[in-house]
Amino acid sequence: MRSRKARTGEPGLDYQPEGGRRLPVLKDVSQTEIEEINSWQFPLTVTIEQTSGTLLRVAIGAGAIGGEAADVAGITGLSSIEAQADSPAYVFEFENFVSYAVTDEMYAQNSKEEIGQGNWISIYTRSHFLDFVRKSTWASTDYPGELTHYQINTLDHTVDVVCYEPVEFSAA
């Protein structure tokens, strides 16, 4: 298991990947980039990939109404929502995640019992998914450390990720 501490030598520092590019760390939903994403009208999933055993990468982009209006199943004037080449997009990297789940947006649900902040991008301190991970794995605050539930919501999917390291993200 690689940890941020092992890569930077100090906890809490942004690591510097090859090429010298620094990735910001998602600390709370009031960060400028996250506020921008949370203001999008039509967020779309671009990719979800587990690039290695311990790295999950999720890319999302702002969608826009595009294409010509069409008639579908007796409903007239429907337009598709598409990611445009010049649409804003972000990539989130979850290194050393404990667990993740991808749910089709049609089946995702929220609960008033959950405590979190955000909209399209959310951070939970109490959630059913966090409870599930705590009960079904041996991960705890003792090892590997404090667990945080991050949630990325788009018009396509809800991606729930529990990890013990901060999430890194960048403009795509």
Side-chain angles (χ1 to χ4, degrees):
M1 255 191 271
R2 292 184 332 179
S3 74
R4 178 175 329 290
K5 184 174 182 179
R7 291 184 305 165
T8 64
E10 294 181 46
L13 291 180
D14 298 345
Y15 88 94
Q16 198 165 7
E18 297 194 27
R21 166 177 73 97
R22 288 179 89 61
L23 299 178
V25 172
L26 175 55
K27 295 178 181 147
D28 64 61
V29 295
S30 66
Q31 288 173 251
T32 305
E33 299 90 347
I34 304 306
E35 285 183 338
E36 175 193 340
I37 295 168
N38 281 333
S39 73
W40 291 353
Q41 188 172 7
F42 305 116
L44 299 173
T45 304
V46 176
T47 59
I48 301 170
E49 59 183 340
Q50 186 173 340
T51 62
S52 71
T54 61
L55 177 64
L56 176 68
R57 184 175 292 134
V58 180
I60 62 171
I65 295 176
E68 294 191 27
D71 298 343
V72 178
I75 303 172
T76 60
L78 294 177
S79 295
S80 62
I81 298 173
E82 305 167 352
Q84 307 297 321
D86 60 346
S87 295
Y90 285 90
V91 176
F92 292 83
E93 293 187 350
F94 301 89
E95 183 141 6
N96 294 322
F97 62 86
V98 175
S99 182
Y100 73 92
V102 179
T103 305
D104 183 292
E105 62 80 25
M106 181 188 317
Y107 300 102
Q109 61 180 331
N110 295 320
S111 170
K112 293 182 182 193
E113 298 168 4
E114 297 177 312
I115 299 173
Q117 298 177 320
N119 183 20
W120 299 116
I121 307 297
S122 300
I123 302 173
Y124 288 92
T125 55
R126 188 171 82 193
S127 70
H128 295 303
F129 189 66
L130 197 50
D131 290 344
F132 164 76
V133 170
R134 285 181 176 138
K135 290 176 183 175
S136 64
T137 71
W138 54 266
S140 70
T141 355
D142 293 331
Y143 185 84
E146 188 64 36
L147 301 177
T148 303
H149 174 194
Y150 298 92
Q151 186 177 75
I152 298 175
N153 296 289
T154 69
L155 298 182
D156 310 300
H157 305 97
T158 292
V159 181
D160 293 288
V161 184
V162 169
C163 49
Y164 56 90
E165 291 190 354
V167 176
E168 298 164 347
F169 67 97
S170 62

